[in-house]
């Protein structure tokens, strides 16, 4: 049984034609025709999550895991506003969410009608395209709607993926059904093209590359790509180029440098001109490290090439000279064969410095007391190979990037907008469609903020949640400034005495807790035990003041 509304039948049929078959629905009446049709036709994997904010983040994680678009369906009014944080995150993470928001007819806007707000273009700053469908069902209106839906779904995945928005005004009756198949529709195709440099452009780039003596490649956040890793390794071996990456780049070659923040601190006592690149090449998403950005802004390369299929002019380091509309793999495939071999002296300078700071780090961690730093080093030793790790924002992602990466793990995190509001929901969505273990590590404020992530029936047995409870937002004790303010404890740290046990029990999760190093080791052993057959939450308690002191002492040790 599907809705009798022809324009809804057409919308759903086009979603199916375009392969958008995974749907996250939040309950409501105004979106009833869409829900009836998606569920009734039997062609879609429909999931139901009540909290729209959590639902959108769940869909974000689901889309990342599936590597394909996922659609969201909600009712009108503030329901649609709750999608905004995740859509913004998806925009900056380049994830193709398709937001389908039911709406009142336009003649009821601003007329004191219930659940009626200005929904057209509500996400305009964070979508590639936004449309509002016509109310009528004449042949011309259906043709117009089909063309716009086609275009919207095409641009979601063309070039750099991005979210799109389809607003759907609906008149009553909303729940009339018929036992009919979906109508046939005419999809408009937009084939993906692989851009290729002209011979002249490639020769010019190769000449510039060969002239540069110090080449630095920044690999930002991205999904795992073994082929790209091999290409980068080949270029680095041939030319002595330095590859800098964080765990979120999902590149595991030991020749690449990954201890970015410690490296930047270690360079303070070096002649920075020795490390300043002549040529900078960047691709992927953002870096967490603020000190890397400061280093490159203060030590600008002569040239900076940024790779972006969408021709994004990211001048993060205030030195941009070329925007190349290529993905990194296509670029390296064309460039590597035509550049000359070089000395690896610049590369050795970086790798030797990293080896030095890592030795200081490891010695410091081995000698330090029980704090967040010690805990994160314990956790990374227990992370199973070939599993997924989701890093919460603020201090967890920073601690994780300081410590050595677990062997053969894949990293994800909401670093598009870097908010704490949906890390758990995103991880739950991702884990719901994978077979491997998924570990999400987040702080106590992030967990309590997003605890509705557990309010659904898609919590998979492969989910392992680690909450670092230091009784507040410990990030504000790590950065300079807030801890000297009289407002620190209440308005920055947000000191509290809450624990996660009750929430874990309410949603049927196994619960573990640890308050010292021995208990952490025991709890992690149980958390990852082969016979652990359901989702588990491990809450680890640490002292925020000791955490801040230890964190600062580590960087002081590296600096000296």
């Amino acid at each position: 049984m599907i809705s009798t509304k022809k324009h809804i039948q057409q919308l759903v049929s086009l979603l199916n034609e375009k392969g958008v078959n995974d749907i996250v629905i939040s309950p409501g009446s105004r979106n009833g025709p869409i829900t009836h049709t998606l569920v009734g036709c039997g062609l879609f994997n429909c999931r139901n999550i009540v909290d729209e904010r959590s639902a959108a983040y769940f869909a974000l994680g689901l889309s990342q895991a599936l590597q394909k678009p996922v659609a969201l369906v909600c009712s009108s009014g503030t329901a649609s506003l709750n999608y905004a944080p995740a859509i913004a995150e998806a925009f900056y993470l380049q994830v193709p969410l398709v937001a389908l928001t039911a709406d009142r007819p336009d003649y009821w806007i601003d007329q004191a009608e219930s659940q009626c707000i200005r929904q057209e273009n509500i996400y305009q700053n964070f979508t590639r395209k936004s449309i509002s469908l016509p109310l009528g069902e004449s042949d011309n209106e259906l043709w117009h709607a089909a063309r716009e839906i086609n275009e919207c779904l095409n641009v979601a995945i063309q070039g750099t993926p991005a979210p799109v928005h389809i607003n759907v005004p609906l008149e009553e009756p909303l729940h009339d059904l018929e036992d009919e198949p979906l109508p046939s529709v005419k999809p408009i195709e937009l084939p993906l093209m692989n851009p290729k440099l002209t011979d002249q452009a490639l020769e010019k780039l190769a000449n510039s590359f060969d002239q540069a003596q110090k080449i630095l490649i920044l690999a930002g956040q991205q999904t795992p790509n073994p082929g790209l890793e091999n290409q980068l390794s080949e270029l680095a071996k041939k030319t002595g180029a330095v590859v800098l990456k964080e765990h979120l780049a999902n590149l595991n070659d030991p020749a690449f440098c990954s201890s970015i923040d410690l490296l930047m601190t270690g360079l303070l006592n070096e002649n920075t001109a020795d490390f300043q690149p002549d040529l900078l090449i960047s691709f992927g998403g953002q870096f967490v490290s603020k000190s890397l950005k400061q280093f490159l802004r203060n030590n600008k390369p002569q040239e900076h090439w940024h790779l972006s299929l969408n021709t994004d002019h990211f001048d993060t380091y205030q030195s941009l000279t070329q925007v190349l509309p290529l993905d990194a793999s296509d670029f390296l495939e064309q460039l590597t064969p035509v550049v000359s071999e070089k000395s690896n002296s610049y590369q050795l300078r970086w790798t030797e410095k990293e080896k030095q700071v890592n030795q200081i780090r490891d010695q410091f961690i081995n000698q330090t007391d029980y704090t967040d730093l010690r805990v994160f080093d314990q956790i990374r030793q227990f992370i199973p190979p070939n599993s997924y790790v989701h890093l919460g924002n603020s201090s967890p992602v920073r601690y994780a990037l300081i410590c050595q990466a677990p062997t053969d793990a894949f990293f994800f995190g909401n670093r598009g907008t870097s908010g704490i509001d949906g890390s758990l929901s995103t991880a739950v969505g991702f884990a719901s469609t994978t077979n491997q273990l998924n570990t999400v590590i987040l702080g106590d404020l992030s967990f309590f903020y997003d605890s509705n992530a557990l309010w659904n029936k898609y919590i998979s047995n492969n989910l392992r949640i680690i909450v670092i409870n230091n009784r507040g937002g410990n990030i504000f004790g790590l950065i300079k400034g807030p801890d000297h303010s009289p407002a620190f404890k209440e308005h920055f740290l947000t000191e509290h005495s809450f624990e996660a046990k009750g929430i874990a029990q309410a949603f049927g999760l196994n619960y573990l807790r640890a308050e010292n190093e021995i208990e952490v080791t025991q709890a992690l052993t149980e958390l990852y035990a082969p016979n652990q057959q359901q989702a588990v939450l491990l809450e680890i308690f640490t002292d925020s003041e000791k955490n801040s002191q230890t964190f600062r002492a580590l960087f002081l040790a590296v600096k000296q």
Side-chain angles (χ1 to χ4, degrees), residues 343-399:
S343 163
N344 66 348
S345 57
Y346 183 61
Q347 187 181 92
L348 287 174
R349 198 174 301 147
W350 278 93
T351 54
E352 285 298 316
K353 190 62 185 178
E354 181 178 44
K355 182 179 178 181
Q356 177 187 338
V357 299
N358 283 348
Q359 287 174 343
I360 296 171
R361 174 200 64 191
D362 294 344
Q363 183 178 8
F364 183 92
I365 291 175
N366 289 334
Q367 295 176 350
T368 194
D369 293 333
Y370 173 74
T371 59
D372 278 357
L373 181 61
R374 186 92 169 186
V375 165
F376 272 85
D377 193 63
Q378 286 180 275
I379 293 171
R380 64 98 183 166
Q381 296 177 56
F382 277 85
I383 299 289
N386 195 34
S387 67
Y388 296 106
V389 181
H390 306 266
L391 299 176
N393 282 318
S394 294
S395 57
V397 68
R398 288 165 173 80
Y399 277 116

Side-chain angles (χ1 to χ4, degrees), residues 457-476:
K457 62 181 181 181
Y458 311 107
I459 308 301
S460 55
N461 295 335
N462 62 355
L463 184 65
R464 303 292 180 264
I465 303 168
I466 300 177
V467 178
I468 311 296
N469 192 337
N470 43 45
R471 306 295 186 185
N474 203 189
I475 184 64
F476 296 109

Side-chain angles (χ1 to χ4, degrees), residues 294-362:
Q294 292 173 333
F295 173 80
L296 289 171
R297 288 167 189 167
N298 293 330
N299 299 275
K300 293 181 174 62
Q302 295 174 8
E303 290 193 62
H304 173 198
W305 305 346
H306 182 65
L307 312 178
S308 168
L309 280 173
N310 205 42
T311 65
D312 296 309
H313 285 53
F314 290 158
D315 197 8
T316 311
Y317 312 105
Q318 301 176 322
S319 56
L320 186 66
T321 55
Q322 294 254 16
V323 177
L324 302 174
L326 298 162
D327 70 24
S329 185
D330 289 337
F331 170 76
L332 293 172
E333 182 181 357
Q334 296 174 60
L335 183 73
T336 302
V338 298
V339 294
S340 303
E341 293 186 9
K342 292 179 182 289
S343 163
N344 66 348
S345 57
Y346 183 61
Q347 187 181 92
L348 287 174
R349 198 174 301 147
W350 278 93
T351 54
E352 285 298 316
K353 190 62 185 178
E354 181 178 44
K355 182 179 178 181
Q356 177 187 338
V357 299
N358 283 348
Q359 287 174 343
I360 296 171
R361 174 200 64 191
D362 294 344

Side-chain angles (χ1 to χ4, degrees), residues 41 66 81 104 112 130 142 155 170 218 245 249 272 274 285 301 328 330 332 366 406 414-415 438 473 479 502 517:
C41 72
L66 295 172
L81 287 172
R104 260 47 176 188
S130 180
L142 288 173
V155 300
L170 290 160
L218 298 185
K245 56 90 180 179
T272 54
D274 291 338
D330 289 337
L332 293 172
N366 289 334
N414 288 352
R415 294 303 301 176
N438 282 256
I479 62 178
E517 189 170 341

